[in-house]
Amino acid sequence: MEEYRVKKVNEIKQTSITVHVPGSKSITNRALLLAALAKGESALSGVLFSDDSRHFLDCVQKLGIETKVEEDNCNVTVNGHGGQVPAKDAAIYVGSAGTAARFLAAFLGLSEGTHYMDASAQMRKRPMGPLLKTLTGIGASFLFEGQDGHFPFAVTGAGLLIDTSDNEKKRIDVSVNINDSSQFLSALLISLGAYAGESVIRVEGTHGMAYIDMTVRMMEQFGIKVQSENSVYKIAKQGGYKAKKYDIEPDVSAACYFYAMAALLGISITVSGVHEESLQGDVEFVHILEKMGCICEDTPEGICVSKPVNGILKGVDVNMHSCSDQAITLAAIAPFADTPTTIRGIAHIRLQESNRIAAICTELTRMGIRCEEGEDSITIWPGTPKPALIQTYDDHRMAMGFSLVGLRAEGIVINDPMCCKKTFEHYFDVLDEIVEKIQM
């Protein structure tokens, strides 16, 4: 499918619906690595199968870690090796998956052997340098084929994860700058959790700390506790990760498109299995919708978002640093608010799958919507979007987020919609089903 023409909703007959979304990409990929680092068999349920997670799973398999995959049932069984890599000289390809790129680079940088890592053209442009610098400081080495600090490269590991029963391991004390990506810190935390000695990570900068909270909480669920204070993270000598049965939450990032749809169309949408206590930081987007006037309730089935009491969507001024993946979602519904909306704390999204600040402003302008780009922000004014062919920049969130505009405006067409396969390959099928259901 080269283009997707969004169907404008002209008549609403059903005002309350329930939506099911796939498992969380962020939790799926963390769980795959944690299970690989544990010793023994872990059974993962609710697994997301998308381009990113399939790349991650393929890499794990190529590293010699046995898995049993039941894609139809969203289950994966992983036979972990206690932090060791069975295949000492494998070549892996991470595609455009940032989690696979950062998490597996740290894992291999701390392990034994020399491994070759490559990525998509998109991922080759994204930052890796701060993480690789930290790994080099503790004994890993990297041989770059092209630009230093970027894929592709060969990584020779420091051999620190061998013999995890040795209680005399030296203390590891490192620092990492996370201004470009919180995944650098998550990658180090997860792999150092399999180290037999004590580890200390000193953090410079700040970025997406909700994802760090997710990492720490999941490490604890797999048996490793992390202490943190004043940007210093400490992992004491412990017994390694424990294999377990683990149920992956529905993807809150995916749920947010449907919550935004509720706000746009003035209906109630419940996303099954999404609750306030979610590990995922994007649940904060629900509270942004509350500030815009929506009614939000955590029901036994899942969080339900309903239209504003007076039917008017309010403009907001919000810092989205902790839920920046939803900046595109908020930008897409902002033209339908009653006053301007300013999104702050998002300078780092220039370095994601696309330069998202530039992409948002370019596509809003294409639709005739006034917007202003700041160094760390975007301001969007109310307006009526004009028909437009929306470019997606090979960015799944641009494709899914900007499809929302077409539910209220005529003539919105999404170019290259299937880039959404990165995280939610059936998104447009689900969107069609919901639009049909609303109008039945």
Side-chain angles (χ1 to χ4, degrees), residues 52 55 59 92-97 100-101 104 117-120 123 151:
D52 272 16
H55 279 304
C59 290
I92 61 174
Y93 179 76
V94 301
S96 296
L104 294 174
M117 298 187 69
D118 200 1
S120 68
M123 191 64 225
F151 289 103

Side-chain angles (χ1 to χ4, degrees), residues 341-344 346-351 354-365 369-381 393:
T341 290
T342 298
I343 306 169
R344 305 185 188 276
I346 55 170
H348 60 278
I349 72 172
R350 299 179 191 277
L351 300 173
S354 65
N355 179 338
R356 287 179 172 170
I357 290 181
I360 288 169
C361 290
T362 298
E363 300 313 309
L364 286 174
T365 300
I369 298 298
R370 180 188 171 196
C371 57
E372 183 176 296
E373 175 181 340
E375 182 179 343
D376 191 39
S377 66
I378 303 171
T379 299
I380 302 161
W381 279 262
Y393 308 89

Side-chain angles (χ1 to χ4, degrees), residues 49-62:
F49 287 94
S50 68
D51 279 359
D52 272 16
S53 59
R54 288 191 185 98
H55 279 304
F56 204 118
L57 185 57
D58 180 66
C59 290
V60 167
Q61 292 166 338
K62 283 187 167 61

Side-chain angles (χ1 to χ4, degrees), residues 273-321:
V274 173
H275 295 284
E276 281 279 0
E277 66 271 18
S278 170
L279 293 171
Q280 301 165 71
D282 276 6
V283 75
E284 177 61 27
F285 184 70
V286 172
H287 301 299
I288 293 174
L289 292 176
E290 285 183 316
K291 292 177 182 177
M292 300 182 83
C294 294
I295 306 301
C296 305
E297 181 185 4
D298 193 349
T299 73
E301 186 169 6
I303 294 175
C304 176
V305 173
S306 302
K307 66 179 181 180
V309 174
N310 59 5
I312 298 173
L313 198 61
K314 301 175 184 176
V316 289
D317 188 326
V318 290
N319 188 309
M320 296 192 73
H321 195 270

